[in-house]
Amino acid sequence: MNLNAIDRYAKSLIKEAGHKIRVSFFSTIDIDSKADANDLVTNIDREVESFFIERVRQDFPEHKMVSEEGFGDEISSLDGVVWFLDPIDGTMNFIHQRRNFAISLGIYVDGVGMLGYIYDVMRDELYHAAKGEGAYFNDERLPQLEITPLEEAIIGINASWVAPNHRVENEKIIELVRRCRGTRSYGSAAIELAYVSSGKIDAYISMRLAPWDIAGGIVIAQEVGAVATNLKGETPHLLGSDTFIVTRPGLHEEILSNYIRLK
Ligand code: IPD
Ligand code: CA
Ligand code: CA
């Protein structure tokens, strides 16, 4: 398998899809809701996903596609080549802000993340990595992450987990929020992963993410020495939704053992 050729192909699809998304703002966008009133999807999410899937099925018919809007394949194992695609990660931002959303793509071979991409469409910023070859922000190589103490760390976390909720003990999360330097919430898991990988924030925690939210970002994060697991400390399994944490080295163990109590 020629991973370099797949890498070039994936990058060109991402750039073409990004152009389609930017152009979509010149016409009316249709907005629907899915599981609940705040779980939004647009015709652009669906069109971008279909665009990727049609191309990949035509050019790599043996590859599997796992994607959010239902045009991809149902998989029960990670055997072979699997593309994990979120056509727009941060749909609420796409609709309300017209920025702060990304195309998220990870390409795995027999369960091993080989290629990862997070494309911040409006900033034209592509975070990308190939396993063993380092991670990049556009053409710039990202440095290895260094250890930062929690007191100097910025943590990406959604305020939902600070309020009482049924997934995690919020009193412990309040302690974490008080102890760290500051918190941020960008509304796109992919962008938060890209920001951990490029040192803009130091950790990102979520109680529920899907494989397409994290698959690409994990490949990038691992290339710069970040640690990505679920909140039990296990490797994310990518066959269904799970909890998630990614941090620069040193913070992972401290946050998991002292501040996370799953219910
Ligand atoms: C969502 C975003 C959000 C995260 C949600 C995801 P979507 O993805 O990544 O930041 O908190 O859990 O579902 O629906 O915009 O693709
Ligand atoms: Ca998503
Ligand atoms: Ca999405």
Side-chain angles (χ1 to χ4, degrees):
M1 184 182 322
N2 185 343
L3 275 174
N4 286 334
I6 296 174
D7 180 42
R8 283 194 299 276
Y9 178 88
K11 281 179 183 146
S12 84
L13 282 190
I14 288 167
K15 289 292 175 112
E16 198 175 333
H19 178 72
K20 284 178 190 293
I21 294 172
R22 288 188 294 268
V23 166
S24 75
F25 288 128
F26 294 110
S27 44
T28 311
I29 294 172
D30 300 326
I31 304 165
D32 287 329
S33 53
K34 296 189 283 186
D36 63 62
N38 299 324
D39 182 10
L40 304 173
V41 62
T42 72
N43 57 315
I44 310 303
D45 298 65
R46 296 189 175 113
E47 283 167 24
V48 170
E49 182 166 312
S50 306
F51 161 76
F52 271 91
I53 288 177
E54 279 168 23
R55 288 286 188 90
V56 175
R57 281 191 178 147
Q58 174 194 303
D59 295 326
F60 298 99
E62 69 287 7
H63 294 189
K64 294 271 184 294
M65 297 289 297
V66 176
S67 51
E68 181 163 23
E69 308 306 344
F71 300 99
D73 302 299
E74 295 271 337
I75 60 164
S76 52
S77 96
L78 296 178
D79 293 348
V81 183
V82 182
W83 294 49
F84 293 92
L85 170 72
D86 194 338
I88 298 183
D89 183 58
T91 297
M92 198 183 286
N93 290 348
F94 170 69
I95 294 167
H96 285 255
Q97 306 178 341
R98 298 192 168 198
R99 69 197 71 204
N100 300 324
F101 60 86
I103 297 171
S104 169
L105 174 66
I107 302 177
Y108 283 57
V109 179
D110 294 332
V112 179
M114 301 305 290
L115 300 167
Y117 311 87
I118 295 169
Y119 184 46
D120 182 330
V121 173
M122 302 313 284
R123 294 188 175 94
D124 190 25
E125 292 176 347
L126 180 63
Y127 297 82
H128 56 105
K131 184 177 164 54
E133 291 175 25
Y136 289 80
F137 168 67
N138 291 329
D139 294 331
E140 207 178 292
R141 176 115 184 204
L142 291 170
Q144 289 293 302
L145 296 172
E146 286 169 9
I147 292 176
T148 296
L150 187 54
E151 290 73 12
E152 293 174 19
I154 300 181
I155 312 269
I157 190 163
N158 189 306
S160 316
W161 313 122
V162 181
N165 68 82
H166 64 280
R167 291 184 189 273
V168 70
E169 283 181 22
N170 73 307
E171 292 84 0
K172 283 277 167 199
I173 302 287
I174 292 171
E175 278 178 35
L176 173 66
V177 166
R178 290 202 171 120
R179 176 95 189 279
C180 70
R181 176 164 279 174
T183 59
R184 297 290 183 273
S185 181
Y186 293 96
S188 158
I191 286 183
E192 311 208 48
L193 259 153
Y195 284 5
V196 171
S197 300
S198 52
K200 297 179 183 77
I201 61 176
D202 304 292
Y204 168 62
I205 301 168
S206 176
M207 298 309 143
R208 192 173 155 84
L209 289 175
W212 46 78
D213 296 319
I214 54 175
I218 289 172
V219 180
I220 300 168
Q222 285 176 340
E223 284 301 308
V224 290
V227 189
T229 67
N230 66 18
L231 290 175
K232 294 179 185 156
E234 303 159 348
T235 306
H237 59 70
L238 300 180
L239 285 173
S241 292
D242 204 350
T243 55
F244 185 67
I245 177 167
V246 59
T247 78
R248 57 166 77 232
L251 285 178
H252 183 266
E253 165 66 17
E254 183 173 9
I255 293 176
L256 273 195
S257 38
N258 297 333
Y259 300 98
I260 304 291
R261 298 283 178 275
L262 293 174
K263 287 183 177 168

